[in-house]
């Protein structure tokens, strides 16, 4: 089986789904040549698991991204990644970093709502904007036709809690900030898919399932290993037809 992509960047790799994406990509039979794992403080205690992983796999490069809404920090990450890639561009960007909020109509306050929107909507979009020249370089520099993660792609880790179509059927607490932010992120994904298609860049939203992480809690149904194995299988199957899709970790299509 071919490598998913020559180069992959994942945001929010200190723990949870991001850390497991890096782990499984590095341990795959045909690992990407470059796995850029971003983390707020790669050399701090929060980056310890990632440091240990990077010590075992030379393909993993730790990149500091102090905050996905901090523009100078993103630009520093772009420079660090560009330095490693020389002139080959970045094939795959996975916007994984995110925060949750369980605020209900009664408990929410505007600052919390704005923080969640900043991290889950503004951050990923800024990251795409700043990495776009590297993604375009990858899309142009290949002989591959059509769209795929191995050519150039943006994957936004979403959630079915952000699906407006499913909302009336999902019994969980309203979680206004989180659900509204992920619905907004889904619109960003659709806009990016439409705008970047002609540049040879695929864009998709992926729901990882309800996963046992700090965010998903121990009560979640899926282990992080299971969810990420599914996500990577789905990513390898994406093509022209799936750009602009909203899929779950098993490849099932979800309503927006
Ligand atoms: N777990 C689930 O059941 C579930 C379900 C659906 C969707 N998702 C989505 O999956 C993604 C990953 O979730 P997870 O469960 O792995 O969460 P997690 O265990 O809470 O990890 C979140 C990661 O995002 C990073 N992060 C958060 N805000 C950031 C910011 N402003 N700038 C940079 N990094 C930031 C965190 O870094 P620090 O360690 O430095 O805080 C951490 O690495 C999220 O987008 C989430 O919405 C999760």
């Amino acid at each position: 089986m071919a490598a998913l992509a020559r180069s992959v960047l994942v945001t929010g790799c200190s723990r949870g789904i991001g850390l497991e994406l890096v782990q499984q990509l590095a341990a795959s039979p045909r690992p990407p040549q470059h796995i850029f794992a971003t983390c707020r403080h790669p050399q701090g205690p929060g980056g310890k698991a990632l440091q240990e992983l990077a010590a075992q796999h030379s393909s993993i490069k730790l990149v500091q991204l102090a905050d996905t809404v901090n523009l100078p920090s993103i630009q520093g990450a772009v420079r660090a990644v560009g330095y490693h890639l020389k002139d080959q561009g970045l094939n795959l960007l996975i916007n994984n970093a995110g925060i949750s909020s369980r605020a209900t109509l009664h408990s929410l306050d505007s600052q919390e709502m704005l923080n969640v929107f900043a991290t889950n909507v503004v951050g990923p979009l800024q990251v795409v904007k700043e990495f776009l020249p590297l993604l375009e370089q990858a899309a142009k520099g290949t002989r591959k036709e059509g769209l795929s993660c191995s050519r150039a792609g943006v994957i936004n880790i979403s959630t079915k809690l952000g699906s407006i179509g499913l909302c009336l059927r999902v019994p969980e607490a309203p979680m206004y900030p989180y659900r509204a932010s992920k619905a907004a992120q889904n619109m960003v994904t659709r806009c990016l898919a439409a705008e970047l298609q002609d540049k040879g860049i695929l864009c998709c939203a992926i729901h990882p399932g309800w996963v046992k992480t700090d965010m998903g809690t121990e009560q979640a149904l899926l282990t992080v290993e299971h969810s990420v194995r599914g996500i990577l299988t789905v990513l390898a199957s994406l093509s022209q037809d799936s750009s602009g899709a909203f899929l779950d970790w098993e490849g099932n299509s979800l309503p927006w």
Side-chain angles (χ1 to χ4, degrees):
M1 194 181 167
L4 175 63
R6 180 178 172 272
S7 57
V8 181
L9 181 139
V10 185
T11 64
C13 297
S14 58
R15 52 200 168 97
I17 293 169
L19 181 63
E20 184 66 21
L21 278 166
V22 172
Q23 147 77 31
Q24 289 195 24
L25 281 166
S28 64
R30 298 276 313 275
Q33 187 180 344
H34 302 284
I35 303 169
F36 299 104
T38 83
C39 173
R40 288 199 249 228
H41 307 289
Q43 305 310 327
K48 193 161 181 292
L50 200 50
Q51 287 166 30
E52 286 169 9
L53 205 52
Q56 294 163 33
H57 300 277
S58 59
S59 56
I60 299 175
K61 278 105 189 164
L62 270 51
V63 175
Q64 179 164 29
L65 210 173
D67 200 303
T68 53
V69 290
N70 178 327
L71 189 56
S73 171
I74 302 172
Q75 289 169 339
V78 172
R79 281 193 296 276
V81 168
Y83 170 80
H84 283 289
L85 289 172
K86 311 281 186 276
D87 56 356
Q88 288 180 304
L90 175 67
N91 299 111
L92 183 60
L93 164 59
I94 304 181
N95 268 316
N96 163 76
I99 52 171
S100 183
S101 157
R102 301 197 164 266
T104 66
L105 184 56
H106 295 291
S107 67
L108 73 81
D109 69 72
S110 59
Q111 195 51 55
E112 180 172 4
M113 189 100 185
L114 290 170
N115 287 346
V116 175
F117 263 74
T119 299
N120 293 353
V121 190
V122 181
L125 187 52
Q126 269 196 163
V127 170
V128 173
K129 181 176 174 230
E130 296 303 316
F131 276 97
L132 195 54
L134 289 179
L135 290 163
E136 287 179 327
Q137 202 173 26
K140 279 194 204 130
T142 172
R143 289 197 210 108
K144 296 185 178 108
E145 293 292 319
L147 302 181
S148 64
C149 288
S150 63
R151 184 179 178 194
V154 173
I155 303 299
N156 286 332
I157 302 296
S158 181
T159 167
K160 75 175 187 184
L161 292 175
S163 163
I164 291 172
L166 285 177
C167 185
L168 293 175
R169 283 176 278 144
V170 180
E172 284 90 349
M175 298 169 76
Y176 278 87
Y178 184 60
R179 297 182 78 152
S181 71
K182 288 295 188 172
Q185 189 204 39
N186 283 350
M187 178 55 92
V188 164
T189 305
R190 286 291 284 197
C191 293
L192 287 173
E195 183 164 354
L196 301 184
Q197 177 160 327
D198 290 346
K199 296 182 189 291
I201 303 171
L202 171 151
C203 302
C204 270
I206 302 279
H207 163 60
W210 185 20
V211 191
K212 289 182 199 294
T213 62
D214 292 340
M215 185 188 293
T217 76
E218 260 309 301
Q219 291 166 354
L221 302 176
L222 291 177
T223 63
V224 70
E225 294 83 1
H226 188 146
S227 165
V228 167
R229 208 173 314 121
I231 292 170
L232 291 177
T233 305
V234 172
L235 298 195
S237 74
L238 297 179
S239 64
Q240 186 91 19
D241 297 338
S242 30
S243 192
F246 183 16
L247 304 171
D248 72 10
W249 81 103
E250 291 177 308
N252 302 305
S253 190
L254 294 171
W256 293 100

